[in-house]
Amino acid sequence: MTGGLFAGYDHDGFFDEVFTADGEVRPHYRALVARLGLFSADELARRERLRDAAFRTQGITFTVYGEEEDVERTFPMDLIPRIIPPDEWAEVERGLVQRVDALNRFLDDLYVGEQAIIRDGIVPRWMVLSSDGFERQAAGLAVPHSSRCVVAGIDLVRDADGTYRVLEDNLRNPSGISYVLENRAAMTRVLSLAFTDHRVRSVDHYGAMLLGALRHVAPPAAGDDPTVVVLTPGVYNSAYFEHAFLARQMGVELVEGRDLVVDDHVVSMRTTHGLRRVDVIYRRIDDDFLDPVVFRPDSQLGVPGLMAAARAGTVTIANAAGNGVADDKAIYAFVPEIIRYYLGEDPILASVPTYLLDEPDHRAEVLDRLGDLVVKPVAESGGYGMLIGPAASDAEIEAFRHKLEADPRGYIAQEVVSLSRHPTLIDDHLEGRHVDLRPFVISGEKIEVIPGGLTRVALRRGSLVVNSSQGGGSKDTWVLAPDRDLKRPGDRAEGAELERVEGDDRRETTQMPAVGVDGDQTEHTPGGVQP
């Protein structure tokens, strides 16, 4: 164990991302720990103020719900980054690609295939048909190249042994990527020299990666230069800033439903020069609001006739309608078998042991062990509506018992995973806080993963809930590159481009005279979301 900021740091009881069980610093963290040893608590506090000022200036905020009133805050980003070594990331990346490949095949089989996986008894028909995310209106609606999950956010945790496990699949409108990019931009300002100690893989090609994938799924009639737009519910949506951020990153139009019109099964957007045909819509609104002709008739957010245009093959909607059936938390329990069925491979990434309440044996065990398990509603997200048994009161457990007995299909139960912890700056010292990781997987010409993703951190002591909507924060996530990859296009090391950073690093520069830096070259775009 080292001193300074780490003096008194308690790494016992959980898998610690930085320290081994013996208290030794893991090899890929040694340079960072040495770098942090140069800072006083006052110096880190000063850099936190710089970070907060930058976030306020750029409008990087989020809304916390459930308090006396909704409160908009700057997004809490911890200054201590998470580091993932290249060999470890390579295995995670392979597992993510495998999983999303299988889920794309599963969705295609359900909506335009023979539903072979149901016919062969791998996934029960009633389970699919009873899912809130299964959209009968999407039956027969093909997607070019079967890329139904153009953007997937797969939530990972590490258990007590350090094993990565998939916690959830987010296949509809996963958010948070703007934080990934803005966190990196902020870190290059406030801890710039730390990058020179590491070969950190860049994330700033995400916009190009996403645009390439969206163009790849354009209808064949769109030709070589398809028009892509981002469809947002509007400025009152909590993730609006991410929608604007992504449109700007890709250099495409950000539109609302009222900006689009469908005529003769062709979608066009209104511009100052008249109507312009649209080929691909990256929608950030839910299925229910996409098209009032097909889904909710009272929707003011969608576009009448949009689904008919998609069915005619003149426009592609990404992500595809009906993806929710594959990230239904009850379907999650079948994903290992879905991977084996479509790919003939064993899953690379482990799952969390899951109980289905519709199965009598499972239900009996869950009701007997409610105080030991985590219970989740199958159609909720954001950490809402959960029961964390070990932290629940007797009254809360009894209330959930009634809910499960009344609606067993509506819930699953999982074993509690002792989430790994990471040193996190709390006031003037470091404490361990539980973390997860949401990598973003893009299905285009091939399935790719942006290096790292969004590390979310539960800022409350002992809390397992990392969602920012419930008081969580985030960390910049550094995936280290092996030397051989540094010259690969779009995969440079962040530290390699840092020629200048802001004057705030002058004190650090004095301590590390080999590198002279006093300005930042990263382009910043306002952004803010609520993952």
Side-chain angles (χ1 to χ4, degrees), residues 98-118:
Q98 178 196 57
R99 191 173 183 96
V100 172
D101 186 6
L103 289 169
N104 270 320
R105 294 174 190 242
F106 173 61
L107 287 164
D108 226 40
D109 187 17
L110 290 185
Y111 287 113
V112 298
E114 300 176 346
Q115 299 188 339
I117 198 166
I118 293 175

Side-chain angles (χ1 to χ4, degrees), residues 14 388 390-392 416-422 424 426 431-435 457-466:
F14 298 90
I388 300 177
V416 175
V417 177
S418 297
L419 305 189
S420 65
R421 294 197 313 194
H422 195 290
T424 301
I426 306 295
E431 293 183 10
R433 290 291 185 269
H434 295 295
V435 294
V457 52
L459 294 176
R460 298 190 186 103
R461 184 196 296 268
S463 174
L464 296 173
V465 181
V466 298

Side-chain angles (χ1 to χ4, degrees), residues 193-211:
L193 285 183
F195 285 92
T196 64
D197 302 329
H198 304 83
R199 299 181 181 278
V200 182
R201 290 179 62 182
S202 175
V203 295
D204 60 9
H205 57 293
Y206 180 82
M209 180 191 295
L210 177 58
L211 180 60

Side-chain angles (χ1 to χ4, degrees), residues 94-151:
R94 284 201 317 117
L96 292 169
V97 169
Q98 178 196 57
R99 191 173 183 96
V100 172
D101 186 6
L103 289 169
N104 270 320
R105 294 174 190 242
F106 173 61
L107 287 164
D108 226 40
D109 187 17
L110 290 185
Y111 287 113
V112 298
E114 300 176 346
Q115 299 188 339
I117 198 166
I118 293 175
R119 179 198 61 205
D120 292 339
I122 307 300
V123 178
R125 179 180 296 277
W126 71 266
M127 183 73 75
V128 170
L129 298 181
S130 62
S131 172
D132 288 344
F134 181 70
E135 300 288 3
R136 288 168 176 78
Q137 296 85 345
L141 183 57
V143 175
H145 311 291
S146 302
S147 295
R148 292 184 171 273
C149 309
V150 173
V151 181

Side-chain angles (χ1 to χ4, degrees), residues 93-386:
E93 190 174 33
R94 284 201 317 117
L96 292 169
V97 169
Q98 178 196 57
R99 191 173 183 96
V100 172
D101 186 6
L103 289 169
N104 270 320
R105 294 174 190 242
F106 173 61
L107 287 164
D108 226 40
D109 187 17
L110 290 185
Y111 287 113
V112 298
E114 300 176 346
Q115 299 188 339
I117 198 166
I118 293 175
R119 179 198 61 205
D120 292 339
I122 307 300
V123 178
R125 179 180 296 277
W126 71 266
M127 183 73 75
V128 170
L129 298 181
S130 62
S131 172
D132 288 344
F134 181 70
E135 300 288 3
R136 288 168 176 78
Q137 296 85 345
L141 183 57
V143 175
H145 311 291
S146 302
S147 295
R148 292 184 171 273
C149 309
V150 173
V151 181
I154 309 297
D155 291 345
L156 303 177
V157 296
R158 298 185 80 177
D159 64 15
D161 299 323
T163 300
Y164 283 94
R165 292 181 180 273
V166 177
L167 189 64
E168 291 183 6
D169 302 295
N170 298 280
L171 308 176
R172 287 171 274 188
N173 292 305
S175 63
I177 187 62
S178 64
Y179 285 152
V180 175
L181 274 63
E182 291 291 0
N183 282 355
R184 179 62 52 83
M187 287 294 286
T188 59
R189 284 185 169 180
V190 301
L191 276 178
S192 56
L193 285 183
F195 285 92
T196 64
D197 302 329
H198 304 83
R199 299 181 181 278
V200 182
R201 290 179 62 182
S202 175
V203 295
D204 60 9
H205 57 293
Y206 180 82
M209 180 191 295
L210 177 58
L211 180 60
L214 292 170
R215 290 168 63 92
H216 182 68
V217 298
D224 297 331
D225 189 22
T227 297
V228 177
V229 300
V230 177
L231 176 60
T232 176
V235 296
Y236 296 111
N237 185 271
S238 62
Y240 176 77
F241 290 110
E242 174 153 298
H243 308 161
F245 178 93
L246 290 173
R248 191 171 304 183
Q249 286 279 316
M250 292 190 288
V252 305
E253 296 292 336
L254 177 69
V255 301
E256 298 181 26
R258 59 190 178 185
D259 299 319
L260 301 179
V261 61
V262 180
D263 182 32
D264 196 19
H265 293 161
V266 173
V267 182
S268 301
M269 62 177 162
R270 297 182 174 93
T271 75
T272 55
H273 302 289
L275 294 178
R276 179 183 175 190
R277 180 164 175 159
V278 172
D279 303 300
V280 182
I281 299 174
Y282 179 39
R283 54 77 175 250
R284 296 301 297 261
I285 65 178
D286 294 339
D287 287 354
D288 284 348
F289 300 95
L290 263 180
D291 181 348
V293 176
V294 175
F295 298 108
R296 286 183 51 161
D298 60 340
S299 172
Q300 301 292 313
L301 305 176
V303 186
L306 181 59
M307 289 293 287
R311 193 174 295 280
T314 61
V315 69
T316 299
I317 302 170
N319 286 343
N323 277 9
V325 65
D327 66 18
D328 182 307
K329 291 180 176 60
I331 297 294
Y332 164 92
F334 294 91
V335 174
E337 290 308 315
I338 289 173
I339 292 172
R340 293 188 181 94
Y341 182 78
Y342 290 111
L343 305 180
E345 304 169 356
D346 288 328
I348 296 170
L349 293 172
S351 297
V352 177
T354 300
Y355 301 94
L356 298 174
L357 278 301
D358 275 298
E359 296 189 10
D361 292 346
H362 285 200
R363 183 164 66 250
E365 180 172 354
V366 169
L367 293 177
D368 189 48
R369 296 180 54 219
L370 267 180
D372 302 325
L373 302 172
V374 175
V375 179
K376 301 176 180 177
V378 297
E380 282 281 3
S381 60
Y384 293 102
M386 294 171 49

